[in-house]
Amino acid sequence: AGQTTTAGALDPLLHRLETDGLIAATWEQDTGRPRKWYALTPAGEKKFRGAVADWQAMFARMQSLILPALRHVTNHPKTA
């Protein structure tokens, strides 16, 4: 079953990101019901790119640990 995220769960996070200057909000009135849209600010984009680089480095480290073990397991048949 999929997980549902409510506005009540997202609002504090969005508010904090906006307060920190990482996102900026704009209101759209054209849809009949006012909607709030968020976009990354230049500071938010910089932070996002840094987080992606950190994640990629961590993923590469994890692969360097896991892949040799997987190769070892798949190259050695199980003994009864």
Side-chain angles (χ1 to χ4, degrees):
Q3 221 174 6
T4 303
T5 304
T6 64
L10 284 178
D11 284 342
L13 173 62
L14 291 169
H15 181 69
R16 189 177 83 229
L17 291 170
E18 191 173 15
T19 299
D20 291 348
L22 301 175
I23 61 173
T26 56
W27 284 95
E28 180 183 279
Q29 303 284 341
D30 299 341
T31 59
R33 184 177 137 219
R35 294 183 185 265
K36 196 173 192 180
W37 294 90
Y38 294 92
L40 288 173
T41 62
E45 188 170 334
K46 182 178 178 182
K47 181 118 179 164
F48 174 75
R49 289 183 188 277
V52 168
D54 290 346
W55 185 88
Q56 288 173 327
M58 183 201 58
F59 184 75
R61 286 191 302 273
M62 294 300 292
Q63 278 188 310
S64 72
L65 295 170
I66 294 170
L67 290 179
L70 287 175
R71 285 188 200 107
H72 177 74
V73 169
T74 58
N75 289 335
H76 291 69
K78 292 182 181 181
T79 57

